[in-house]
């Protein structure tokens, strides 16, 4: 399973490395040390924690997550494979993105929970719902 440094996790969560370090110090996400002493976060643990953060469990005073050119770097939180199609969920900071694609594409990319991935959004129309 892939592991992430505090800095990598911070980028995937859309927060500063200091915020990610404080969360790790507070025990909100488990870390372990590699052979060089760097703190790492297991990919599955980070995926689960990213969902929690995305649902508003983060601190109120953090900088908002922004995207550039409709690219949302994040972490894969779920992969559901069908016979022909697949559904992949990515948590990119506070944003949860769901993509429907072919099973073959998911297998070729080797997508699995805990991996880094970037969702790129291109759309010719926007739907607005009343809240």
């Amino acid at each position: 399973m892939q592991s992430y440094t505090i800095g990598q996790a911070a980028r995937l969560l859309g927060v500063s490395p200091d915020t990610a370090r404080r969360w790790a110090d507070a025990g909100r996400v488990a870390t372990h040390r590699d052979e060089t002493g760097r703190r790492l976060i297991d990919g599955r643990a980070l995926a689960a924690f990213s969902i929690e953060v995305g649902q508003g469990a983060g601190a109120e005073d953090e900088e908002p997550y922004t995207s550039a050119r409709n690219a949302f770097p994040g972490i894969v939180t779920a992969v559901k494979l069908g016979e022909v199609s697949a559904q992949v969920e990515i948590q990119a900071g506070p944003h949860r993105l769901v993509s429907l694609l072919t099973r073959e594409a998911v297998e070729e990319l080797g997508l699995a929970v805990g991996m880094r991935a970037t969702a790129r959004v291109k759309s010719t129309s926007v739907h607005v719902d009343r809240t």
Side-chain angles (χ1 to χ4, degrees), residues 89-107:
E89 294 182 24
I90 296 174
Q91 191 72 40
H95 308 289
R96 177 179 163 260
L97 297 112
V98 180
S99 178
L100 302 176
L101 57 163
T102 65
R103 178 186 181 121
E104 180 182 13
V106 171
E107 290 171 347

Side-chain angles (χ1 to χ4, degrees), residues 10-108:
R11 281 189 298 281
L12 293 170
L13 294 168
V15 298
S16 71
D18 286 337
T19 297
R21 202 170 292 110
R22 280 193 302 273
W23 285 343
D25 290 344
R28 291 191 60 194
V29 63
T31 63
H32 63 279
R33 298 211 181 252
D34 68 5
E35 61 278 351
T36 65
R38 290 184 313 167
R39 286 200 305 181
L40 301 174
I41 301 171
D42 174 74
R44 286 190 178 275
L46 183 58
F49 183 66
S50 71
I51 292 170
E52 178 186 327
V53 170
Q55 293 173 341
E60 304 280 330
D61 61 344
E62 294 167 15
E63 294 179 30
Y65 181 83
T66 61
S67 69
R69 297 188 176 189
N70 301 323
F72 294 82
I75 187 166
V76 176
T77 58
V79 176
K80 298 173 186 163
L81 297 174
E83 202 168 307
V84 176
S85 62
Q87 178 179 313
V88 176
E89 294 182 24
I90 296 174
Q91 191 72 40
H95 308 289
R96 177 179 163 260
L97 297 112
V98 180
S99 178
L100 302 176
L101 57 163
T102 65
R103 178 186 181 121
E104 180 182 13
V106 171
E107 290 171 347
E108 283 180 11

